[in-house]
Amino acid sequence: MNSSITGYSDKISVAGGETIAFKVSARPARPYEARLVRIIHGDMNPAGPGYKEEHVPSGIEGRHDGREQRIHCGSWACVDGNRHFARLRSMTLQAMVWPTRPGGRAQTIMSLWNPDTGQGVRLDINAQGELEAVLADGGRTETLASGKPMLAREWYSVALAIDAQEGVLTLHQVPHRVYARVDDRARVQQRRTAPALDGQTLLAFAATPAPDGGRVIGTALMNGKIDRPRLSARALDEAGIRALEDPSYQGMRTAGVVGVWDFSRRMESESIEDISGNQLHGHTFNLPVRAMKGANWTGEEMNWRHAPQQYGAMHFHDDSVHDAGWETDFSLTVPPSLRSGLYAAHLRCGDDEEFIPFVVRATPGQSGNRIAYLVPTASYMAYANEHMPTDAPLAQLLTDQVAVLRKNDLFLSEHREYGNSCYDVHSDGAGVCYTSRLRPILNMRPKYRSWLGGRGSALWQFNADTHVTDWLEAEGYGYDCLSDEDLHYQGEAALGDYDVLVTSSHSEYWSKEMWDAVDAFRGRGGRIISMGGNTWYWRVAFNPSVPGVMEVRRNEDGTRAWAAEPGEYYHSFTGEYGGLWRRQGRPPQMIAGNGFIAQGFDDSSYYLRAEGSFDPRARFIFEGIADDERIGDFGLVGNGAAGLELDHVDRLLGSPPNTLVLASSTGHSDIYQVVAEEILINYPGTGGTVSPLVKADLVFYETAAGGAVFSTGSIAWAGSLSHNGYDNNVSRIMRNVMNRFLDPEPF
């Protein structure tokens, strides 16, 4: 059931004249065919228009030699070899650790190791969960274990002291908390001869380095936190070890100290800083999680910027992925004449095919199109390679149906090296707060069917959004595409040439820069069509120095797959408070007019016109629509236009006072439940058959600058656009809205 070909690109968005590189792995190595396509409609459901693409002749077209490229997952950190390490004979390796999965296999805390010769010293947690020293010299390996298993999620001071002159090795395992009937403190000592180190010896944290072709990878990867690692050129006793743990150490040159690494510095980067004065700075691999509370966190300060010395820990995971690091197989320089849109490199290898999607944005001022479609790439990153159907028993309760596992689901379950989504947890149970697009994202593909998405077309995110692009094409509207990253990095200038902004079926994840850009667009009279549900929901941060990665902290509130640890609510990339925009005074209602209220994943329903639809201000929206007409009692997603996730009007949460509720959905099952952030006390009656809150509101309001906003309040809405050859009341409403929004006459 494995896919034989996968790939990714180095960019998510390009303009004419720019070059995008594609990285491909064919398993086993064999040739494949490539071509460029413009994606119009990715839904294969025979009840709809069917799959649509446009072949675009290009320089990538033709046969390519395939090769297998591997992903090495797992986060760790490393300091390159140097004269300080080569001189070491007596030494102390020390750190504070918070292991999350002690036992089962060897996990390295710190290592001084030559990856080419396999010679050096390691401080490990062994397969029994005990602290263990490993000494390897010329094929001879010796070990010394503490004999005391460590508790999961408890802090320990650990150290390996080697006295070369006396030939004595001492292992220290000191718990920070003492419990009755738990014996986990140890100090063991034996005579040992330490191996000689050389200039190629690397210092690694949370891994033992090993060669792999032309690069070095991490092995014996650790799960857990490491705080305040130190390296000394002498054997310290316990008092000396504890003294060097002092977080107030500020680079004072101390006799025998080789390296003092402070993980609270440069948190947004891939660097680790040595403050000993020896400049032994290092770098991380696969982005260990930073802004993590350390062993000395008191709980009195929740913002790491205010007390950085209490956030000196990094959390390492054996399944983290940042950049797969594949070599480029072919590149495309985008012709300036290529129209803006959603494109993909289409690869075919035997019976398997692969699509690597990307956005081609317009050159400013040249396209002449007045509609911008915002491709929600931040949301695609959040859901990238999610494992909910295989890992989360809750998945079947959410949908009231057996999760159907398809080819990509099985492949991702078997190949965990492809990484997780922000809806997954790491192998140690910690929530995944970093995500990257620099790896194959197998659920960001046309033709992909999700386990989630209601009955009918089981679509979610990328493929569901092609219902929007298909409708724009079918109705003959000229439009350009922008990615979330374009909006984030360019701000409101990215929308400067457009009159109408269309968002997708599920534009859920927004950075502050994105939020501010759309608000500025609205403020200058821009018109916004929100074509989905659960919009403007989570606050995210893009890394300012590391491209292609995004962070989300699922904080104190919200409908979420996991919850951040107390004290770890602020983004490490930017220092911004994470979580719901609602919790930060910017609920979705402030822009969209409606915001998240309920979710369910069985059948979708329909809307009935509300009083607001008969207001003269809304007359243009309902031209050709009967007073008692059911709106959207059809569709490819759950057989209706109101489904999956629903948004409603709430003046207390910022819906403008001139907001018109045009229609509301009805007839939802009890699989639909009011979202968690709306419930202060649990009570019976939050299901769709009884709660008046379980509904989607179709809304419209004008802005002070002569613009307007129209929001559908439902993820399933776009799946109804193509019904009956696009001749239906959902499509008619959208046509009425779009035509008026393109009319330059101010509202």
Side-chain angles (χ1 to χ4, degrees), residues 227 292-301 307-313:
D227 187 9
M292 294 282 105
K293 56 193 179 187
N296 60 333
W297 184 68
T298 65
E300 296 176 359
E301 181 54 65
Q309 59 269 75
Q310 294 186 32
Y311 286 85

Side-chain angles (χ1 to χ4, degrees), residues 85-160:
F85 298 165
R87 292 172 179 170
L88 287 172
R89 294 300 176 263
S90 292
M91 68 188 83
T92 301
L93 292 83
Q94 68 177 86
M96 284 175 282
V97 297
W98 191 72
T100 51
R101 295 187 73 187
R105 62 171 179 82
Q107 302 174 54
T108 296
I109 300 168
M110 295 176 67
S111 61
L112 280 163
W113 205 261
N114 184 323
D116 295 320
T117 64
Q119 182 171 307
V121 177
R122 288 169 25 199
L123 182 59
D124 283 4
I125 301 170
N126 66 18
Q128 289 72 47
E130 306 159 348
L131 190 67
E132 183 173 84
V134 179
L135 285 68
D137 189 4
R140 177 177 58 88
T141 300
E142 296 181 307
T143 63
L144 175 63
S146 69
K148 303 290 181 65
M150 303 169 78
L151 297 174
R153 301 179 182 273
E154 293 285 346
W155 282 105
Y156 292 83
S157 292
V158 297
L160 166 61

Side-chain angles (χ1 to χ4, degrees), residues 610-628:
E611 181 180 352
S613 70
F614 301 101
D615 189 294
R617 295 159 50 202
R619 183 177 296 120
F620 74 94
I621 299 173
F622 288 90
E623 290 180 4
I625 307 294
D627 292 358
D628 59 352

